[in-house]
Amino acid sequence: MESVLSEAVALLDEAGAPALTFRALAQRLGGGVASIYWYVASKDELLDQATDHVMGAVLADVEGLARTDDPIDDLREMAVTLFDAIVARPWLAAYFMRNTTAQSNSLRLYERLGEQTLRLDLDARQRFHAVSAIVGVVVGSAIDLGQEPPQEVLDGAVDRDEFLGRYARAWRELDPEDFPFVHEIVDEFDGHDDVDQFRSALELTLTGLRLQAGPPPSSR
Amino acid sequence: MESVLSEAVALLDEAGAPALTFRALAQRLGGGVASIYWYVASKDELLDQATDHVMGAVLADVEGLARTDDPIDDLREMAVTLFDAIVARPWLAAYFMRNTTAQSNSLRLYERLGEQTLRLDLDARQRFHAVSAIVGVVVGSAIDLGQEPPQEVLDGAVDRDEFLGRYARAWRELDPEDFPFVHEIVDEFDGHDDVDQFRSALELTLTGLRLQAGPPPSSR
DNA sequence: ACCTGAACACCGTTCAAGT
DNA sequence: ACCTGAACACCGTTCAAGT
């Protein structure tokens, strides 16, 4: 079982979600296709289990973070840790958090994020929405990464900067009268860092949250 | 061509992304499978074009909104309009914005959102990040909806509330010592409204953005 | 308890051939 | 310019059968 999951993860890491097929997996395991069905009932379950398998390490990273006396700071560190894991494994974006009963590590991670909101002066609904918002920012920022990069990028024939550059070039050719905003930001877009982009989005949400929660308990 | 796209959209609306196959589409069009390849080069392109097709109406809705003198209020209305469209067509979540050169309506929508940030006192990078954040909130909140609802829900055998209720029941059985947060919010989760959840997440981001932009020009 | 080969019903895509 | 039938190489899944 352990080897089924780690080989499945290896396939996902090497070439993304489309590379994980029962036939490819069976070949790596040196067995027949049908054997895998002894361990999982379906491909969906295989994906859930593979995801939960790697989320175990992410959860450990999150739980290993030092706690501060500011829950918002802790939320930030946790969210960044989660995002970094998705940057390293873009296929994660589409699968983690999609089935929290089947993925116990994702549920625990959700719990750990939520516990920080228990330290804030919010009601239950605000807490629920706050954690949803933070997970949403992570997922929303990560989903771009999860998009299958065009085959050329996977092949290494074209790198990410070149890929962004092509878009940027197309955008620069748009009529500036019709697309003033696109022209305003095209230089920022060209070669931008996904982590920067994520951290900015996260910061807006955390700022909103801090305002909603009011002054910290220590100052009351 | 027009009928190819509208039948493709009809299939997506009726039963989600897995229902859109070349064979199913050909059957509805009363022709052979290979004919479709005269109009699109691949399934990916079919999906892009179908998405752009419906995004045309969304763009029109967004452009039809009344403008106020507060760009943040306008951003809110635009984002909600976009989100509503995704609630009505959950499959949109996965495809819109994934290829802005192939999807000209998505690019225009991106531009319209961005133009509101031109009215805020921000630099180019902040504007780029602000629009990314807002789109991220929309996508991050919508992606749950895009997950294939279990077949029972599509069949109408089980409705959404019943579906959420099952999760809630499982959550209530977790040890409250281990999962204090999950217990805190389980009643909020049970039967929650996705639009509420989205609006809360959006509000946190917009609050952060308002703070970042400083006082409105009129008060300077 | 664990694994297998072979089949089934589906995919997206291609291509030579038709009008 | 537009469409077709038939094939190809792939899928996930099942099942009777083996150890």
Side-chain angles (χ1 to χ4, degrees):
Chain A
M1 181 66 209
E2 169 57 32
S3 66
V4 171
L5 293 185
S6 47
E7 286 304 325
V9 169
L11 278 166
L12 289 165
D13 286 348
E14 285 166 29
L20 179 59
T21 66
F22 279 79
R23 283 167 177 84
L25 184 53
Q27 197 185 346
R28 280 175 91 113
L29 293 165
V33 216
S35 326
I36 304 166
Y37 282 90
W38 197 87
Y39 298 97
V40 293
S42 68
K43 179 150 188 193
D44 253 24
E45 194 187 314
L46 176 62
L47 247 358
D48 273 341
Q49 300 241 151
T51 303
D52 206 50
H53 189 67
V54 314
M55 288 304 288
V58 179
L59 176 64
D61 285 349
V62 164
E63 291 182 336
L65 292 170
R67 300 299 170 83
T68 71
D69 56 6
D70 183 350
I72 302 249
D73 285 346
D74 289 356
L75 277 169
R76 180 185 302 107
E77 289 312 302
M78 289 176 163
V80 168
T81 301
L82 176 56
F83 189 77
D84 286 346
I86 301 179
V87 168
R89 299 191 143 105
W91 55 269
L92 266 184
Y95 301 111
F96 97 109
M97 279 285 148
R98 81 165 167 172
N99 195 347
T100 24
T101 47
Q103 297 188 18
S104 68
N105 287 321
S106 289
L107 179 58
R108 278 208 137 72
L109 187 65
Y110 184 70
E111 168 68 28
R112 294 292 169 255
L113 289 165
E115 284 169 6
Q116 299 310 311
T117 68
L118 296 178
R119 302 164 64 197
L120 293 167
D121 187 23
L122 299 171
D123 63 31
R125 165 165 299 212
Q126 288 173 321
R127 289 183 175 126
F128 171 54
H129 285 162
V131 177
S132 302
I134 290 168
V135 173
V137 169
V138 173
V139 172
S141 304
I143 209 75
D144 288 353
L145 313 173
Q147 305 287 8
E148 294 317 307
Q151 199 53 44
E152 328 166 88
V153 178
L154 273 182
D155 293 345
V158 164
D159 67 3
R160 206 189 86 99
D161 281 349
E162 167 63 18
F163 181 60
L164 290 180
R166 283 190 202 175
Y167 271 91
R169 216 165 305 132
W171 285 7
R172 287 195 184 95
E173 281 171 19
L174 296 168
D175 184 341
E177 303 265 320
D178 287 346
F179 292 92
F181 172 70
V182 169
H183 278 269
E184 160 89 0
I185 56 89
V186 65
D187 289 340
E188 297 299 330
F189 173 81
D190 202 357
H192 75 271
D193 180 7
D194 289 317
V195 177
D196 277 357
Q197 200 176 0
F198 164 68
R199 291 189 91 116
S200 297
L202 180 64
E203 220 48 48
L204 294 177
T205 294
L206 292 178
T207 300
L209 188 58
R210 202 186 280 281
L211 220 69
Q212 186 179 54
S218 56
S219 73
R220 272 183 286 161
Chain B
M1 182 66 210
E2 170 57 33
S3 65
V4 171
L5 293 185
S6 45
E7 287 303 327
V9 169
L11 278 167
L12 290 165
D13 285 347
E14 285 165 30
L20 180 59
T21 68
F22 279 78
R23 283 169 176 83
L25 183 54
Q27 197 185 345
R28 280 176 90 114
L29 293 165
V33 216
S35 326
I36 304 168
Y37 282 90
W38 197 87
Y39 297 97
V40 294
S42 68
K43 179 150 188 192
D44 252 23
E45 194 187 313
L46 176 61
L47 246 359
D48 274 340
Q49 301 239 158
T51 303
D52 206 49
H53 188 67
V54 313
M55 288 303 290
V58 180
L59 177 65
D61 286 349
V62 164
E63 291 182 336
L65 292 170
R67 299 300 170 81
T68 71
D69 55 6
D70 183 350
I72 302 247
D73 286 345
D74 289 356
L75 278 169
R76 180 185 302 106
E77 289 312 302
M78 289 176 164
V80 168
T81 301
L82 176 56
F83 190 77
D84 286 346
I86 301 179
V87 168
R89 299 192 143 105
W91 57 269
L92 266 183
Y95 302 110
F96 96 110
M97 279 285 149
R98 80 165 169 174
N99 194 346
T100 24
T101 48
Q103 297 186 18
S104 68
N105 287 321
S106 290
L107 179 59
R108 278 210 137 72
L109 187 65
Y110 184 70
E111 168 68 27
R112 293 294 170 251
L113 288 165
E115 284 170 5
Q116 299 309 312
T117 68
L118 295 177
R119 302 164 62 196
L120 293 166
D121 187 22
L122 299 170
D123 63 31
R125 166 166 297 214
Q126 289 172 321
R127 288 182 176 128
F128 171 54
H129 284 162
V131 177
S132 301
I134 289 167
V135 173
V137 170
V138 172
V139 172
S141 304
I143 209 76
D144 288 353
L145 313 174
Q147 304 288 9
E148 294 318 309
Q151 199 53 44
E152 326 164 271
V153 178
L154 273 182
D155 292 346
V158 165
D159 67 2
R160 205 189 88 101
D161 282 348
E162 166 62 18
F163 181 60
L164 290 180
R166 284 189 201 176
Y167 272 92
R169 215 166 304 132
W171 285 8
R172 287 195 184 95
E173 280 170 20
L174 296 168
D175 185 342
E177 303 265 320
D178 286 348
F179 292 93
F181 172 70
V182 169
H183 278 270
E184 160 89 0
I185 55 90
V186 64
D187 290 340
E188 296 299 330
F189 173 81
D190 200 357
H192 76 270
D193 180 6
D194 289 317
V195 177
D196 277 357
Q197 199 176 2
F198 164 69
R199 290 191 91 115
S200 295
L202 179 63
E203 219 48 49
L204 293 177
T205 294
L206 291 178
T207 300
L209 187 59
R210 201 185 281 281
L211 219 69
Q212 187 179 54
S218 55
S219 73
R220 272 183 287 160

